[in-house]
Amino acid sequence: MSRRDELAAGLAAVRERIERSCGTAGRDPGEVTLVVVTKYFPASDVALLADLGVTDVGENRHQEAEAKAAECAADGVEGLRWHFIGGLQSNKAAAVAAYADVVHSVDRAKLVGRLDAGAGERVVDVLLQVSLDPPDREGRAGADPADLAALADRVAAADHLRLRGLMAVAPLGEDPATAFARLSAIRSELVASHPSADWLSAGMSGDLEAAIEAGATHVRVGTAVLGSRPSVQ
Ligand SMILES: *Cc1c(COP(=O)(O)O)cnc(C)c1O
């Protein structure tokens, strides 16, 4: 099987899962954007995916993402939206805002000014990453739900950022359905004060059905489309 055929098969399977879960949830599949997570895979895969109709790709490491976006542009791969989904270091935020169309992982105030400055004349869509972990969990990524309102106001006030909604990852060791139910409640609160911030980025290869059931508008899927990632970078 060619790499193109492998990717086409992975995509078809994931699109079918999305359609089936939308059917179960009584939702329109047109409301759910598939972000194909291409981290650790080469720009040649991104080019094949674009040719297969993928419009949104996700990356989680700045250097790799920046290089891949540049390589795709140089190869004439056009019309892709680049989603930055990984942990964001403050000193890299401005550089990320120079090529990312959507940043999913804004979890603290310090990032906001830097992203805004790095966006230049562009407008970058921002999702706030909220933690669904217990407060004492080691290596917790994402803002505490209690801090979201202030962070949202800050992003909304930035000239070159557009507050679009929330992102979360289901905690290990918990049924994703219960975690995403909490997320859905947090989202309702945010939307009450920021009505246009209604995107919800949740769901990966293993739990996209539960996320769609809970209202996800963006699913971030890597392995189920591209296969297992190389374990050594
Ligand atoms: C890698 C990654 C994904 C994709 O995970 P898969 O299980 O391969 O689908 C989704 N979201 C984030 C934040 C990631 O880092």
Side-chain angles (χ1 to χ4, degrees), residues 174-183:
E174 181 182 356
D175 178 353
T178 61
F180 291 146
R182 286 202 299 288
L183 178 60

Side-chain angles (χ1 to χ4, degrees), residues 140-151:
R140 192 175 194 244
D144 191 297
D147 298 333
L148 275 185
L151 191 56

Side-chain angles (χ1 to χ4, degrees), residues 128-133 140 143-149 152 165-168 178-194 197 199-200 214:
L128 307 181
Q129 182 173 356
V130 60
S131 174
L132 301 175
D133 286 317
R140 192 175 194 244
D144 191 297
D147 298 333
L148 275 185
L166 293 177
M167 183 273 246
T178 61
F180 291 146
R182 286 202 299 288
L183 178 60
S184 173
I186 297 168
R187 178 202 202 182
S188 302
E189 258 182 66
L190 176 70
V191 170
S193 49
H194 295 276
W199 291 8
L200 187 62

